[in-house]
Structures are given as structure tokens and as C-alpha cells.
Amino acid sequence: MRVTAADMRVYVPLTLSGLAEAYRTGELGAGRFPAYGVTPALREWYPSEYAEDHEYAALGFAALASLRLLAADAGAPRRRVVVAVDVPEGAVSADPAGPGALWVDGPVRLARAAAVHVDAADAEPDVASAARALPAADGGDEGAQSVVDGADDHELLWYATQEIPNLLGPAA
């Protein structure tokens, strides 16, 4: 894969089930799909002189979006998944939903992925609790928000794209 100056790194929230589908088809998204990246709104929301801080914030927003996907899919393993992928800037448009929120015109070949970020297995109980607490947290319940924030106590682990089959197990 060739990355050019006109490419933008975006973070695509998924579940392990969604990652398995992307691996099976070789593509992320069947059409337009949500992602997160370093946008002017994110830079304004999180002022920092370090590009890595902005990338980490975009990854964090994608991890929260992955948690939302888990809350909507009771059958998915309770591990957040974010795929870091480089896409042409022309395929990206801003989403006013929040800092760093984007839309990507897909599909995008999984071969363009730079890495996959996934919770370790020991994070599953906290991620499961956070997914259950998300609706109450969205409603303003501070205790529930604390449970949701508890998922962030677990750093997403970095995996090379060649490791995707190992992440998915025998079903890959």
C-alpha cells in the first residue's frame, strides 16, 4: 500500500464481528461509513502542539463509537475495535456530530489499514459494563458515566494487520 501526502489517517470503529466481516470481504464499509480523524474541530477541542495527541484523541473517539456499536450488538464479543486506515482526503467529509467525526466514502480496501487497535481479553468485563451503562450515561447519569469512563482504563492494544487472523481465531 502506498500512502501519499493526500492521504488522511482515520480511525474506524468496529466490533470483532465487524472486523471479521471486513477481513472476509477485504473491505471496510459497503458505502459511506463513520470514522474519526484529526480535524480542525478536534484541534480546537484539544489544543496541543503535538500531532500524536490529536491522533490519540481521534482514536479515543473511535473507541467510544466502538463501545456504542457493542451496546447495540449484544452478541458481539465485549472488546472495542478500531482500525487505523489511510484514505484519500477527497474521500473524507466532516460530520458535525463532534470533534474528529468524519464520513468516509467507501468501501475502502482493508489492505489500506495501517493497524488494528483492540481491547485485551481482560478488559471484557469492564467493556461489557460500560456498554450496558451507556444509555444511562447518555441520559446524564453520573454513576453510569463513571462506568463508561472505566473502559478507558484499558488501553487498546496495537496489532499489525497481519495479525488480524489471530485476533479473530479459528473462524478467520
Side-chain angles (χ1 to χ4, degrees):
M1 175 197 64
R2 186 169 167 255
V3 177
T4 69
D7 284 343
M8 178 179 187
R9 171 74 43 94
V10 298
Y11 298 90
V12 180
L14 293 175
T15 63
L16 280 173
S17 303
L19 181 62
E21 178 66 12
Y23 183 72
R24 186 184 67 72
T25 64
E27 295 181 331
L28 291 165
R32 189 173 178 211
F33 61 89
Y36 294 83
V38 178
T39 63
L42 186 133
R43 285 188 191 99
E44 183 179 323
W45 175 82
Y46 185 19
S48 174
E49 63 186 272
Y50 301 107
E52 296 84 7
D53 290 343
H54 296 130
E55 294 285 339
Y56 190 74
L59 174 64
F61 281 123
L64 178 58
S66 175
L67 185 64
R68 291 187 182 289
L69 294 173
L70 290 172
D73 183 358
R78 307 282 94 181
R79 294 168 74 183
R80 298 168 297 168
V81 176
V82 176
V83 177
V85 63
D86 297 310
V87 299
E89 281 191 24
V92 176
S93 57
D95 178 351
L102 300 167
W103 289 104
V104 177
D105 295 327
V108 173
R109 300 291 306 156
L110 187 59
R112 292 189 64 90
V116 180
H117 303 271
V118 182
D119 276 311
D122 68 352
E124 286 186 29
D126 290 336
V127 171
S129 295
R132 284 190 305 273
L134 198 53
D138 287 344
D141 182 318
E142 290 180 17
Q145 184 62 53
S146 179
V147 172
V148 170
D149 292 344
D152 288 336
D153 290 343
H154 299 276
E155 290 286 329
L156 296 177
L157 303 178
W158 182 96
Y159 293 91
T161 57
Q162 299 86 337
E163 296 178 275
I164 292 174
N166 296 336
L167 286 168
L168 300 175

